[in-house]
Amino acid sequence: MLSDKIRLSAKEILEKEFKTGVRGYKQEEVDKFLDIIIKDYETFSQEIEELQQENLRLKKQLDEVSKKQQPVQQTGTTNFDILKRLSNLEKHVFGSKLYD
């Protein structure tokens, strides 16, 4: 599952604290960048949730359509069998008149 592979949540990014050093990064720049990352994570999470819901809906719809379709039963009848039955039917209906 995708959520098992994601290491950070938007909340974890928001709450992350960095130690400051003598020549560290500007705190405002880091915060602005993290805000962009958080928004992206939220967007990705929402998109993933929507796609998972759509996937479930489509699978359910496919199952319903599959259940409604009747399976085709094969009778094992060949063309030869059909022709033989047709010939017998003609003999029965028309009798010897057909072959005179």
Side-chain angles (χ1 to χ4, degrees):
M1 185 176 244
L2 183 61
S3 60
D4 296 336
K5 296 177 185 177
I6 297 176
R7 295 179 52 186
L8 297 173
S9 68
K11 183 179 179 186
E12 290 172 323
I13 295 170
L14 177 64
E15 294 175 351
K16 177 66 178 166
E17 293 289 328
F18 295 95
K19 296 178 184 177
T20 56
V22 177
R23 302 185 101 191
Y25 296 104
K26 291 183 182 181
Q27 187 67 36
E28 297 91 31
E29 286 182 18
V30 173
D31 288 342
K32 286 180 183 178
F33 186 71
L34 289 175
D35 287 343
I36 293 169
I37 293 172
I38 290 167
K39 287 180 183 178
D40 285 350
Y41 260 71
E42 290 170 346
T43 301
F44 294 149
S45 294
Q46 182 180 0
E47 184 71 19
I48 289 169
E49 178 66 27
E50 289 172 5
L51 290 172
Q52 287 173 337
Q53 292 299 322
E54 181 179 10
N55 190 22
L56 287 174
R57 181 185 59 79
L58 291 172
K59 284 181 180 180
K60 185 177 179 180
Q61 185 179 1
L62 178 62
D63 287 343
E64 290 172 2
V65 168
S66 296
K67 288 177 184 176
K68 288 181 182 177
Q69 291 180 347
Q70 295 295 326
V72 177
Q73 295 181 355
Q74 295 189 6
T75 60
T77 306
T78 64
N79 287 343
F80 178 76
D81 294 332
I82 294 171
L83 289 173
K84 187 175 177 182
R85 289 171 59 194
L86 183 59
S87 176
N88 289 337
L89 181 62
E90 287 176 342
K91 285 179 187 176
H92 179 72
V93 172
F94 298 109
S96 61
K97 296 178 191 176
L98 186 63
Y99 297 100
D100 287 341

XYZ file of all heavy atoms in Angstrom:
834
model
N 0.845 -1.175 0.000
C 0.000 0.000 0.000
C 0.890 1.237 0.000
O 1.937 1.265 0.614
C -0.916 -0.046 1.218
C -1.919 1.062 1.263
S -3.036 0.893 2.657
C -4.545 0.661 1.775
N 0.473 2.285 -0.660
C 1.272 3.488 -0.809
C 1.521 4.181 0.519
O 2.612 4.669 0.779
C 0.591 4.448 -1.792
C 1.343 5.731 -2.107
C 2.683 5.407 -2.749
C 0.544 6.615 -3.024
N 0.518 4.210 1.387
C 0.676 4.916 2.657
C 1.763 4.287 3.518
O 2.340 4.956 4.364
C -0.652 4.954 3.413
O -1.089 3.640 3.683
N 2.076 3.007 3.298
C 3.150 2.356 4.043
C 4.523 2.839 3.578
O 5.496 2.740 4.324
C 3.071 0.840 3.868
C 1.796 0.255 4.457
O 1.214 0.881 5.358
O 1.388 -0.825 3.992
N 4.615 3.359 2.368
C 5.887 3.791 1.803
C 6.196 5.264 2.091
O 7.327 5.680 1.948
C 5.885 3.552 0.298
C 5.776 2.093 -0.075
C 5.699 1.913 -1.563
C 5.472 0.447 -1.910
N 5.324 0.249 -3.345
N 5.197 6.032 2.469
C 5.397 7.453 2.747
C 5.931 7.595 4.168
O 5.318 7.133 5.124
C 4.081 8.242 2.570
C 3.631 8.146 1.113
C 4.267 9.691 2.977
C 2.302 8.790 0.844
N 7.079 8.237 4.294
C 7.736 8.319 5.599
C 7.264 9.500 6.429
O 7.307 9.443 7.652
C 9.245 8.408 5.398
C 9.806 7.130 4.776
C 11.273 7.200 4.547
N 11.960 7.610 5.769
C 13.247 7.873 5.828
N 13.984 7.779 4.757
N 13.807 8.251 6.954
N 6.833 10.573 5.792
C 6.447 11.777 6.534
C 5.009 12.162 6.212
O 4.562 12.043 5.085
C 7.359 12.956 6.172
C 8.844 12.813 6.516
C 9.623 13.984 5.943
C 9.053 12.709 8.004
N 4.334 12.669 7.222
C 3.010 13.228 7.003
C 3.131 14.749 6.969
O 4.155 15.315 7.370
C 2.053 12.803 8.124
O 2.425 13.418 9.336
N 2.087 15.401 6.510
C 2.088 16.864 6.482
C 2.246 17.411 7.903
O 2.960 18.397 8.118
C 0.801 17.374 5.855
N 1.645 16.765 8.866
C 1.738 17.211 10.265
C 3.169 17.079 10.781
O 3.671 17.973 11.471
C 0.780 16.390 11.127
C 0.746 16.820 12.558
C -0.236 16.000 13.372
C -0.206 16.471 14.826
N -1.009 15.647 15.686
N 3.839 15.966 10.443
C 5.223 15.782 10.883
C 6.145 16.836 10.281
O 7.065 17.320 10.948
C 5.713 14.381 10.511
C 5.062 13.278 11.311
C 5.406 11.894 10.790
O 5.516 11.714 9.557
O 5.542 11.000 11.631
N 5.905 17.200 9.041
C 6.719 18.237 8.405
C 6.481 19.573 9.101
O 7.415 20.323 9.387
C 6.410 18.342 6.902
C 6.823 17.050 6.200
C 7.121 19.536 6.277
C 6.349 16.944 4.773
N 5.203 19.860 9.382
C 4.857 21.122 10.032
C 5.486 21.230 11.412
O 5.993 22.291 11.803
C 3.330 21.244 10.145
C 2.795 22.474 10.870
C 3.164 23.735 10.106
C 1.293 22.376 11.035
N 5.528 20.145 12.143
C 6.007 20.171 13.521
C 7.510 19.945 13.651
O 8.049 19.977 14.753
C 5.251 19.118 14.337
C 3.777 19.447 14.476
C 2.992 18.357 15.172
O 3.548 17.253 15.400
O 1.815 18.602 15.491
N 8.199 19.726 12.555
C 9.637 19.467 12.597
C 10.384 20.699 13.078
O 10.173 21.805 12.591
C 10.135 19.056 11.211
C 11.616 18.837 11.106
C 12.053 17.654 11.929
C 13.560 17.431 11.773
N 14.108 16.536 12.756
N 11.263 20.508 14.056
C 12.101 21.577 14.588
C 13.539 21.317 14.153
O 14.024 20.198 14.222
C 12.022 21.599 16.117
C 10.671 21.991 16.674
C 10.329 23.461 16.471
O 11.261 24.304 16.466
O 9.136 23.768 16.297
N 14.216 22.377 13.715
C 15.608 22.277 13.312
C 16.468 23.039 14.301
O 16.092 24.127 14.770
C 15.811 22.861 11.911
C 15.086 22.083 10.839
C 13.820 22.468 10.410
C 15.688 20.987 10.260
C 13.168 21.760 9.431
C 15.029 20.273 9.273
C 13.772 20.654 8.853
N 17.616 22.484 14.586
C 18.561 23.175 15.463
C 19.217 24.295 14.675
O 19.430 24.182 13.472
C 19.619 22.204 15.972
C 19.060 21.101 16.837
C 20.154 20.158 17.257
C 19.576 19.003 18.049
N 20.594 18.017 18.423
N 19.531 25.365 15.347
C 20.200 26.485 14.673
C 21.693 26.398 14.939
O 22.126 25.966 15.996
C 19.659 27.835 15.172
O 19.807 27.906 16.587
C 18.204 28.001 14.814
N 22.436 26.772 13.938
C 23.888 26.779 14.050
C 24.409 28.182 13.827
O 23.649 29.121 13.553
N 25.686 28.323 13.928
C 26.304 29.640 13.762
C 26.039 30.174 12.359
O 25.655 31.317 12.172
C 27.825 29.549 14.026
C 28.503 30.890 13.799
C 28.091 29.055 15.438
N 26.205 29.350 11.377
C 25.995 29.799 10.003
C 24.851 28.993 9.393
O 24.954 28.497 8.289
C 27.266 29.623 9.196
C 28.441 30.377 9.787
C 29.615 30.292 8.923
N 29.672 31.565 8.214
C 30.457 31.814 7.205
N 31.245 30.886 6.754
N 30.472 32.980 6.624
N 23.756 28.865 10.082
C 22.612 28.062 9.638
C 21.806 28.750 8.554
O 22.120 29.837 8.086
N 20.739 28.075 8.155
C 19.839 28.598 7.131
C 18.947 29.674 7.719
O 18.704 29.727 8.923
C 18.961 27.467 6.573
C 19.736 26.395 5.865
C 19.965 25.165 6.471
C 20.230 26.616 4.585
C 20.682 24.182 5.825
C 20.942 25.631 3.929
C 21.168 24.419 4.557
O 21.881 23.443 3.913
N 18.407 30.515 6.829
C 17.451 31.526 7.285
C 16.144 30.823 7.626
O 15.587 30.113 6.799
C 17.220 32.573 6.193
C 18.408 33.449 5.935
C 18.062 34.499 4.892
C 19.275 35.367 4.599
N 18.955 36.400 3.608
N 15.675 31.032 8.835
C 14.489 30.347 9.325
C 13.261 30.638 8.454
O 12.466 29.747 8.192
C 14.200 30.761 10.776
C 13.092 29.986 11.434
C 13.432 28.522 11.652
O 14.569 28.185 11.941
N 12.459 27.660 11.490
N 13.108 31.893 7.964
C 11.953 32.242 7.141
C 11.939 31.466 5.825
O 10.893 31.023 5.356
C 11.912 33.749 6.838
C 11.764 34.647 8.046
C 13.128 35.075 8.604
O 14.100 35.211 7.837
O 13.194 35.257 9.823
N 13.108 31.297 5.207
C 13.186 30.562 3.944
C 12.832 29.088 4.149
O 12.106 28.499 3.343
C 14.582 30.680 3.339
C 14.876 32.039 2.735
C 16.268 32.090 2.102
O 16.857 31.014 1.827
O 16.757 33.204 1.879
N 13.342 28.511 5.218
C 13.041 27.114 5.520
C 11.545 26.950 5.767
O 10.910 26.024 5.247
C 13.858 26.625 6.736
C 13.414 25.227 7.154
C 15.351 26.642 6.428
N 10.954 27.848 6.546
C 9.526 27.773 6.840
C 8.682 27.917 5.585
O 7.700 27.187 5.405
C 9.128 28.844 7.871
C 9.628 28.538 9.266
O 9.975 27.363 9.534
O 9.672 29.466 10.094
N 9.033 28.835 4.699
C 8.288 29.006 3.448
C 8.377 27.752 2.589
O 7.382 27.314 2.017
C 8.817 30.211 2.665
C 8.416 31.547 3.254
C 8.973 32.699 2.440
C 8.628 34.028 3.080
N 9.205 35.162 2.326
N 9.578 27.176 2.514
C 9.757 25.963 1.722
C 8.962 24.806 2.324
O 8.299 24.056 1.610
C 11.244 25.610 1.629
C 11.527 24.457 0.720
C 11.399 24.596 -0.657
C 11.925 23.236 1.231
C 11.661 23.538 -1.501
C 12.181 22.165 0.386
C 12.057 22.314 -0.984
N 8.996 24.660 3.633
C 8.243 23.603 4.299
C 6.738 23.802 4.114
O 5.998 22.820 3.990
C 8.592 23.527 5.786
C 9.995 22.990 6.113
C 10.267 23.066 7.601
C 10.175 21.574 5.597
N 6.277 25.050 4.090
C 4.853 25.314 3.836
C 4.441 24.805 2.452
O 3.361 24.228 2.290
C 4.553 26.810 3.952
C 4.565 27.315 5.387
O 4.478 26.473 6.309
O 4.666 28.540 5.580
N 5.303 25.010 1.461
C 5.019 24.515 0.109
C 4.969 22.984 0.116
O 4.063 22.376 -0.465
C 6.091 25.018 -0.888
C 5.975 26.542 -1.051
C 5.953 24.323 -2.240
C 7.142 27.163 -1.805
N 5.920 22.368 0.794
C 5.955 20.905 0.870
C 4.700 20.381 1.555
O 4.098 19.404 1.100
C 7.228 20.428 1.598
C 8.465 20.762 0.763
C 7.160 18.929 1.897
C 9.782 20.506 1.476
N 4.290 21.025 2.621
C 3.092 20.600 3.355
C 1.863 20.672 2.449
O 1.046 19.745 2.414
C 2.897 21.455 4.627
C 3.978 21.108 5.650
C 1.517 21.248 5.224
C 4.070 22.091 6.804
N 1.713 21.756 1.705
C 0.576 21.896 0.800
C 0.604 20.801 -0.269
O -0.438 20.233 -0.615
C 0.560 23.280 0.157
C 0.156 24.371 1.113
C 0.158 25.732 0.453
C -0.180 26.800 1.480
N -0.141 28.147 0.910
N 1.794 20.502 -0.796
C 1.911 19.428 -1.784
C 1.506 18.089 -1.182
O 0.777 17.316 -1.804
C 3.338 19.334 -2.328
C 3.674 20.445 -3.310
O 2.747 21.193 -3.722
O 4.866 20.572 -3.670
N 1.973 17.804 0.009
C 1.614 16.549 0.674
C 0.102 16.447 0.867
O -0.481 15.388 0.642
C 2.305 16.456 2.040
C 3.538 15.596 2.056
C 4.704 16.006 1.420
C 3.541 14.378 2.699
C 5.832 15.216 1.440
C 4.664 13.580 2.725
C 5.819 14.005 2.097
O 6.934 13.220 2.106
N -0.504 17.534 1.305
C -1.956 17.519 1.495
C -2.676 17.277 0.170
O -3.652 16.523 0.108
C -2.415 18.824 2.151
C -1.986 18.948 3.596
C -2.226 20.326 4.201
O -2.487 21.291 3.443
O -2.128 20.433 5.435
N -2.196 17.920 -0.898
C -2.780 17.728 -2.224
C -2.617 16.284 -2.677
O -3.572 15.667 -3.168
C -2.125 18.682 -3.243
O -2.315 20.033 -2.810
C -2.718 18.500 -4.631
N -1.414 15.737 -2.512
C -1.169 14.350 -2.896
C -2.044 13.399 -2.096
O -2.622 12.459 -2.656
C 0.302 13.972 -2.703
C 1.256 14.705 -3.613
C 2.540 14.991 -3.181
C 0.895 15.105 -4.884
C 3.433 15.660 -3.998
C 1.775 15.767 -5.711
C 3.061 16.051 -5.263
N -2.145 13.624 -0.797
C -2.966 12.753 0.050
C -4.422 12.789 -0.376
O -5.089 11.746 -0.440
C -2.851 13.172 1.516
O -1.549 12.958 1.993
N -4.932 13.970 -0.675
C -6.315 14.104 -1.113
C -6.528 13.408 -2.454
O -7.508 12.685 -2.645
C -6.692 15.580 -1.226
C -8.128 15.804 -1.638
C -8.471 17.284 -1.742
O -7.633 18.148 -1.511
N -9.692 17.578 -2.100
N -5.598 13.593 -3.374
C -5.697 12.961 -4.699
C -5.650 11.442 -4.578
O -6.422 10.733 -5.231
C -4.564 13.454 -5.605
C -4.629 12.928 -7.014
C -5.763 13.505 -7.840
O -6.296 14.566 -7.486
O -6.122 12.876 -8.852
N -4.773 10.944 -3.738
C -4.668 9.491 -3.523
C -5.977 8.955 -2.959
O -6.486 7.925 -3.414
C -3.481 9.155 -2.603
C -2.167 9.401 -3.340
C -3.560 7.717 -2.096
C -0.933 9.361 -2.455
N -6.536 9.641 -1.990
C -7.801 9.203 -1.387
C -8.917 9.179 -2.428
O -9.684 8.219 -2.501
C -8.181 10.125 -0.227
C -9.489 9.780 0.430
C -9.483 8.442 1.151
O -8.413 7.999 1.596
O -10.558 7.835 1.253
N -9.006 10.219 -3.247
C -10.032 10.276 -4.286
C -9.857 9.142 -5.302
O -10.830 8.505 -5.711
C -9.997 11.626 -4.993
C -10.497 12.781 -4.140
C -10.281 14.144 -4.780
O -9.829 14.205 -5.955
O -10.556 15.152 -4.110
N -8.617 8.875 -5.692
C -8.364 7.804 -6.660
C -8.661 6.433 -6.065
O -9.186 5.557 -6.768
C -6.915 7.872 -7.150
C -6.583 9.065 -8.046
C -5.073 9.137 -8.306
C -7.342 9.006 -9.355
N -8.355 6.246 -4.796
C -8.675 4.969 -4.152
C -10.186 4.765 -4.079
O -10.682 3.658 -4.325
C -8.058 4.906 -2.750
C -6.554 4.726 -2.773
C -5.922 4.823 -1.399
O -6.471 5.426 -0.472
N -4.740 4.234 -1.246
N -10.925 5.822 -3.763
C -12.382 5.720 -3.714
C -12.957 5.431 -5.097
O -13.865 4.616 -5.240
C -12.990 7.015 -3.150
C -12.688 7.251 -1.682
C -13.237 6.164 -0.798
O -14.327 5.645 -1.024
N -12.484 5.792 0.214
N -12.417 6.103 -6.116
C -12.888 5.855 -7.482
C -12.566 4.427 -7.906
O -13.384 3.752 -8.539
C -12.247 6.844 -8.452
C -12.721 6.660 -9.883
C -12.098 7.648 -10.858
O -11.159 8.368 -10.486
O -12.559 7.679 -12.006
N -11.390 3.948 -7.537
C -11.000 2.579 -7.858
C -11.964 1.582 -7.211
O -12.414 0.638 -7.870
C -9.567 2.334 -7.379
C -8.994 1.040 -7.884
O -9.445 0.491 -8.870
N -7.978 0.548 -7.197
N -12.303 1.781 -5.964
C -13.259 0.903 -5.281
C -14.629 0.949 -5.955
O -15.275 -0.083 -6.149
C -13.384 1.292 -3.812
C -12.200 0.943 -2.913
C -12.401 1.517 -1.513
C -11.976 -0.548 -2.856
N -15.065 2.161 -6.323
C -16.366 2.320 -6.980
C -16.391 1.585 -8.315
O -17.350 0.875 -8.640
C -16.672 3.810 -7.176
C -18.020 4.086 -7.840
C -18.232 5.565 -8.114
N -17.232 6.153 -8.978
C -17.205 6.028 -10.312
N -18.136 5.332 -10.928
N -16.267 6.601 -11.031
N -15.316 1.721 -9.088
C -15.258 1.070 -10.392
C -15.177 -0.455 -10.257
O -15.784 -1.180 -11.054
C -14.078 1.603 -11.200
C -14.205 3.052 -11.659
C -12.891 3.534 -12.274
C -15.356 3.224 -12.626
N -14.452 -0.944 -9.264
C -14.396 -2.391 -9.034
C -15.773 -2.926 -8.660
O -16.188 -3.982 -9.137
C -13.398 -2.724 -7.936
C -11.956 -2.646 -8.373
C -11.024 -3.014 -7.242
C -9.577 -2.950 -7.672
N -8.647 -3.299 -6.583
N -16.484 -2.184 -7.816
C -17.827 -2.599 -7.418
C -18.764 -2.593 -8.624
O -19.554 -3.523 -8.816
C -18.356 -1.668 -6.333
C -19.683 -2.080 -5.772
C -20.118 -1.150 -4.656
C -21.465 -1.553 -4.103
N -21.907 -0.664 -3.030
N -18.656 -1.566 -9.451
C -19.483 -1.472 -10.653
C -19.174 -2.628 -11.601
O -20.082 -3.229 -12.177
C -19.226 -0.133 -11.341
C -20.107 0.137 -12.532
C -19.810 1.498 -13.149
O -18.936 2.238 -12.697
N -20.535 1.841 -14.186
N -17.913 -2.973 -11.747
C -17.522 -4.086 -12.605
C -18.088 -5.398 -12.068
O -18.582 -6.221 -12.842
C -16.000 -4.171 -12.705
C -15.435 -5.316 -13.529
C -15.882 -5.211 -14.983
C -13.925 -5.329 -13.431
N -18.025 -5.588 -10.756
C -18.589 -6.798 -10.153
C -20.085 -6.894 -10.414
O -20.595 -7.968 -10.726
C -18.329 -6.828 -8.643
C -16.882 -7.125 -8.310
O -16.157 -7.626 -9.192
O -16.469 -6.851 -7.163
N -20.804 -5.768 -10.283
C -22.248 -5.770 -10.510
C -22.579 -6.111 -11.963
O -23.497 -6.891 -12.231
C -22.837 -4.410 -10.127
C -22.838 -4.151 -8.635
C -23.246 -2.720 -8.288
O -23.564 -1.931 -9.200
O -23.232 -2.401 -7.087
N -21.832 -5.541 -12.892
C -22.065 -5.820 -14.316
C -21.737 -7.282 -14.615
O -22.478 -7.942 -15.356
C -21.212 -4.872 -15.197
C -21.211 -5.321 -16.645
C -21.726 -3.445 -15.087
N -20.669 -7.784 -14.034
C -20.286 -9.181 -14.260
C -21.345 -10.134 -13.733
O -21.620 -11.161 -14.347
C -18.947 -9.481 -13.582
O -17.929 -8.713 -14.165
N -21.955 -9.812 -12.609
C -22.983 -10.669 -12.031
C -24.254 -10.658 -12.872
O -24.967 -11.661 -12.932
C -23.310 -10.224 -10.606
C -22.221 -10.538 -9.619
C -22.562 -10.025 -8.241
C -21.421 -10.250 -7.278
N -21.680 -9.689 -5.950
N -24.553 -9.535 -13.523
C -25.771 -9.426 -14.326
C -25.666 -10.211 -15.623
O -26.669 -10.668 -16.154
C -26.069 -7.956 -14.643
C -26.553 -7.175 -13.446
C -26.849 -5.739 -13.813
C -27.282 -4.934 -12.601
N -27.508 -3.534 -12.929
N -24.465 -10.335 -16.149
C -24.293 -11.050 -17.409
C -24.419 -12.538 -17.160
O -23.813 -13.088 -16.266
C -22.923 -10.742 -18.018
C -22.795 -9.326 -18.520
C -21.422 -9.068 -19.106
O -20.497 -9.841 -18.935
N -21.287 -7.963 -19.803
N -25.240 -13.174 -17.966
C -25.435 -14.615 -17.857
C -24.283 -15.311 -18.569
O -23.912 -14.936 -19.675
C -26.768 -15.034 -18.504
C -27.976 -14.483 -17.814
C -28.124 -15.035 -16.401
O -27.783 -16.170 -16.146
N -28.613 -14.211 -15.504
N -23.739 -16.327 -17.966
C -22.659 -17.044 -18.650
C -23.204 -17.774 -19.875
O -24.314 -18.287 -19.864
C -22.172 -18.047 -17.602
C -23.287 -18.165 -16.620
C -24.047 -16.870 -16.672
N -22.427 -17.780 -20.923
C -22.818 -18.443 -22.164
C -22.617 -19.942 -21.962
O -21.533 -20.394 -21.614
C -21.964 -17.940 -23.345
C -22.316 -18.689 -24.611
C -22.154 -16.444 -23.520
N -23.676 -20.683 -22.175
C -23.584 -22.132 -22.045
C -23.256 -22.732 -23.391
O -23.904 -22.432 -24.390
C -24.892 -22.713 -21.516
C -25.220 -22.271 -20.115
C -26.512 -22.895 -19.630
O -27.196 -23.581 -20.361
N -26.816 -22.652 -18.373
N -22.271 -23.581 -23.386
C -21.894 -24.237 -24.620
C -22.544 -25.606 -24.648
O -22.466 -26.363 -23.695
C -20.385 -24.352 -24.715
C -19.727 -22.995 -24.811
C -18.256 -23.103 -25.126
O -17.746 -24.183 -25.387
N -17.585 -21.984 -25.122
N -23.199 -25.883 -25.760
C -23.919 -27.155 -25.884
C -23.042 -28.244 -26.462
O -23.414 -29.399 -26.435
C -25.151 -26.977 -26.785
O -24.691 -26.547 -28.071
C -26.120 -25.967 -26.205
N -21.903 -27.902 -26.989
C -21.039 -28.899 -27.588
C -21.519 -29.319 -28.972
O -21.085 -30.323 -29.503
N -22.444 -28.582 -29.546
C -22.998 -28.903 -30.865
C -22.057 -28.383 -31.932
O -21.634 -27.239 -31.894
C -24.381 -28.256 -31.034
O -25.202 -28.638 -29.959
C -25.011 -28.658 -32.342
N -21.758 -29.237 -32.899
C -20.901 -28.833 -34.013
C -21.755 -28.561 -35.241
O -22.957 -28.868 -35.265
C -19.886 -29.942 -34.344
O -20.613 -31.094 -34.784
C -19.013 -30.293 -33.144
N -21.139 -27.996 -36.244
C -21.852 -27.742 -37.503
C -22.361 -29.045 -38.110
O -23.454 -29.089 -38.674
C -20.945 -27.014 -38.498
C -20.721 -25.573 -38.121
O -21.461 -25.018 -37.308
N -19.699 -24.962 -38.708
N -21.577 -30.091 -37.995
C -21.998 -31.388 -38.526
C -23.277 -31.856 -37.830
O -24.202 -32.349 -38.481
C -20.878 -32.414 -38.353
C -21.252 -33.780 -38.842
C -21.280 -34.060 -40.204
C -21.584 -34.790 -37.955
C -21.635 -35.319 -40.667
C -21.937 -36.050 -38.406
C -21.963 -36.315 -39.770
N -23.321 -31.704 -36.496
C -24.519 -32.111 -35.750
C -25.738 -31.309 -36.193
O -26.831 -31.848 -36.333
C -24.308 -31.924 -34.241
C -23.247 -32.853 -33.682
O -23.056 -33.947 -34.246
O -22.607 -32.471 -32.682
N -25.546 -30.032 -36.421
C -26.660 -29.173 -36.846
C -27.154 -29.590 -38.226
O -28.367 -29.698 -38.465
C -26.243 -27.689 -36.829
C -25.980 -27.238 -35.389
C -27.302 -26.808 -37.480
C -25.362 -25.870 -35.265
N -26.232 -29.839 -39.156
C -26.614 -30.261 -40.509
C -27.330 -31.610 -40.486
O -28.299 -31.828 -41.218
C -25.389 -30.322 -41.414
C -24.790 -28.971 -41.801
C -23.472 -29.173 -42.549
C -25.770 -28.163 -42.638
N -26.855 -32.512 -39.650
C -27.491 -33.829 -39.540
C -28.921 -33.686 -39.008
O -29.852 -34.311 -39.527
C -26.658 -34.708 -38.610
C -27.099 -36.141 -38.542
C -26.115 -36.930 -37.691
C -26.573 -38.356 -37.540
N -25.658 -39.118 -36.688
N -29.104 -32.842 -37.988
C -30.440 -32.626 -37.438
C -31.349 -31.962 -38.459
O -32.539 -32.295 -38.574
C -30.354 -31.775 -36.168
C -29.746 -32.535 -35.000
C -29.451 -31.675 -33.810
N -30.643 -31.010 -33.310
C -30.619 -30.008 -32.459
N -29.482 -29.541 -32.011
N -31.741 -29.465 -32.057
N -30.817 -31.039 -39.246
C -31.589 -30.364 -40.287
C -32.014 -31.355 -41.372
O -33.167 -31.342 -41.830
C -30.776 -29.221 -40.891
C -31.450 -28.355 -41.938
C -32.700 -27.692 -41.365
C -30.520 -27.304 -42.460
N -31.102 -32.218 -41.732
C -31.419 -33.233 -42.739
C -32.527 -34.163 -42.242
O -33.471 -34.482 -42.988
C -30.163 -34.032 -43.066
O -30.469 -35.066 -43.956
N -32.441 -34.607 -41.004
C -33.473 -35.472 -40.419
C -34.819 -34.752 -40.352
O -35.873 -35.359 -40.602
C -33.064 -35.955 -39.028
C -31.940 -36.957 -39.062
O -31.733 -37.627 -40.082
N -31.194 -37.064 -37.979
N -34.787 -33.465 -40.041
C -36.024 -32.680 -39.980
C -36.648 -32.573 -41.375
O -37.865 -32.711 -41.539
C -35.744 -31.290 -39.406
C -36.927 -30.363 -39.251
C -37.949 -30.954 -38.277
C -36.493 -28.992 -38.784
N -35.836 -32.324 -42.385
C -36.344 -32.248 -43.759
C -36.962 -33.576 -44.181
O -38.016 -33.608 -44.817
C -35.217 -31.859 -44.721
C -34.792 -30.416 -44.617
C -33.604 -30.083 -45.507
O -32.886 -31.012 -45.952
O -33.389 -28.886 -45.745
N -36.297 -34.670 -43.850
C -36.843 -35.990 -44.193
C -38.183 -36.212 -43.514
O -39.116 -36.750 -44.116
C -35.875 -37.097 -43.767
C -34.670 -37.235 -44.633
C -33.758 -38.356 -44.111
C -32.464 -38.397 -44.874
N -31.540 -39.415 -44.316
N -38.290 -35.790 -42.298
C -39.532 -35.979 -41.540
C -40.663 -35.122 -42.118
O -41.797 -35.576 -42.269
C -39.303 -35.653 -40.070
C -40.524 -35.786 -39.224
N -41.065 -37.018 -38.894
C -41.334 -34.849 -38.673
C -42.142 -36.822 -38.160
N -42.332 -35.523 -38.003
N -40.369 -33.873 -42.447
C -41.387 -32.955 -42.929
C -41.781 -33.265 -44.362
O -42.953 -33.336 -44.708
C -40.915 -31.480 -42.813
C -41.894 -30.531 -43.488
C -40.723 -31.108 -41.355
N -40.794 -33.433 -45.221
C -41.078 -33.610 -46.641
C -41.127 -35.079 -47.066
O -41.603 -35.393 -48.143
C -40.054 -32.855 -47.490
C -40.083 -31.374 -47.252
C -39.047 -30.735 -46.582
C -41.125 -30.601 -47.708
C -39.078 -29.380 -46.379
C -41.165 -29.232 -47.514
C -40.130 -28.620 -46.834
N -40.587 -35.923 -46.254
C -40.629 -37.358 -46.563
C -39.845 -37.682 -47.809
O -38.828 -37.066 -48.116
N -40.335 -38.639 -48.558
C -39.627 -39.111 -49.748
C -39.777 -38.136 -50.915
O -39.092 -38.260 -51.910
C -40.119 -40.489 -50.147
O -41.491 -40.439 -50.450
N -40.683 -37.170 -50.837
C -40.885 -36.200 -51.923
C -39.599 -35.430 -52.190
O -39.332 -35.041 -53.330
C -41.984 -35.205 -51.578
C -43.340 -35.812 -51.419
C -44.314 -34.734 -51.047
C -45.645 -35.314 -50.620
N -46.578 -34.284 -50.175
N -38.852 -35.164 -51.154
C -37.628 -34.363 -51.292
C -36.585 -35.105 -52.108
O -35.805 -34.504 -52.838
C -37.076 -34.033 -49.904
C -35.886 -33.087 -49.833
C -36.274 -31.707 -50.369
C -35.382 -32.947 -48.417
N -36.551 -36.414 -52.001
C -35.500 -37.180 -52.637
C -35.961 -37.850 -53.930
O -35.244 -38.651 -54.499
C -34.957 -38.209 -51.651
C -34.324 -37.553 -50.457
C -35.031 -37.443 -49.257
C -33.048 -37.018 -50.540
C -34.462 -36.802 -48.171
C -32.482 -36.393 -49.445
C -33.175 -36.275 -48.262
O -32.622 -35.644 -47.197
N -37.143 -37.572 -54.415
C -37.631 -38.172 -55.665
C -37.136 -37.414 -56.867
O -36.790 -36.355 -56.973
C -39.153 -38.205 -55.707
C -39.685 -39.278 -54.758
O -38.901 -40.179 -54.392
O -40.850 -39.166 -54.398
